Amino acid sequence: MAMIAERAEEIAENGPFDHDFTVPHSTMLATMISGGVATNVTPDLCSFTFEIRSLPTHDAQAELEFLKTRANSEILPRMQEKCAETGIEWEEIFAYPAMGDNTSSEGFAFFRDIMPEWSGKVSYGSEGGVFETIGGIPSVIVGPGSIRQAHKPDEFVEVEQLSLCLAFLGKLAAKISEPA
C-alpha cells in the first residue's frame, strides 16, 4: 500500500496532466483492507483493494503492470526471507477505461442548450468510458447531484438538484418530441 501511495504521489507531481479535469492527473488509492482475527495473532492472510483512476491519455493497464513488477521484485523477496510460503496474488475485480472530452460530439450539442450547468471534465468513473472506448459511442454524463456529496457516509442529492433534474428531463422530452 505504501508503494501504491508513493506511486500516486509521483504521478501527482510528474503527470501526465490534463488541467481540464477536476483532478488534473491520474490517481490511485487503497480503499479497503482486511486481515487478521486478533491483535496477538499473526494473520494468515491480508488483502487490500485499490483503484487506479486514469486520465484518458494514461494507460492504467501499463501502470498496473508496473506496480506488479515492482511488488514482485522489491517486496516479495523481503516477505519470503521471513517466511518462504508467503506470496502476492493479484485479482482484477473490474476495469473501465477513462472517458474523454466529447464537447464537440453531436450528443453534447444536443444536450448543451437544455443542461442546467456544464461542469467540465470529471475525475470519477463511469460507464461512459466503456461506451466510448469499446463501443465507439461518444458519451456525456448527465445527472443530478454533486460529487462533493457522493461516495461518502451519508451521501445525498439535494432536493433542489432533483428539481433541476426533473426540469431537465422535461426539456429533454420536449426536445425529443420536436418534429425533425
Side-chain angles (χ1 to χ4, degrees), residues 14-152:
N14 303 316
F17 297 105
D18 183 338
H19 293 283
D20 290 337
F21 278 89
T22 51
V23 176
H25 53 80
S26 299
T27 62
M28 58 181 76
L29 171 69
T31 55
M32 296 186 294
I33 305 167
S34 178
V37 295
T39 58
N40 63 342
V41 177
T42 301
D44 65 340
L45 176 71
C46 179
S47 65
F48 68 94
T49 302
F50 76 100
E51 69 170 5
I52 301 171
R53 292 190 181 190
S54 64
L55 296 175
T57 57
H58 191 180
D59 185 348
Q61 195 62 44
E63 195 65 52
L64 180 59
E65 291 306 317
F66 171 81
L67 292 170
K68 286 180 179 181
T69 299
R70 189 166 167 208
N72 287 331
S73 66
E74 296 177 24
I75 298 170
L76 183 59
R78 292 192 323 234
M79 290 171 52
Q80 290 179 333
E81 281 177 15
K82 294 182 186 285
C83 181
E85 297 86 41
T86 61
I88 300 173
E89 294 181 18
W90 299 80
E91 176 186 5
E92 189 170 318
I93 299 171
F94 67 91
Y96 49 87
M99 237 179 112
D101 176 4
N102 289 301
T103 54
S104 60
S105 73
E106 185 179 326
F108 185 83
F110 183 82
F111 287 116
R112 178 180 287 127
D113 296 337
I114 61 173
M115 278 191 284
E117 173 184 348
W118 164 241
S119 301
K121 295 179 183 180
V122 294
S123 302
Y124 47 84
S126 146
E127 292 81 5
V130 174
F131 297 140
E132 281 182 14
T133 306
I134 297 171
I137 304 166
S139 301
V140 177
I141 301 171
V142 179
S146 167
I147 196 62
R148 290 184 295 274
Q149 287 96 31
H151 307 303
K152 57 181 80 177

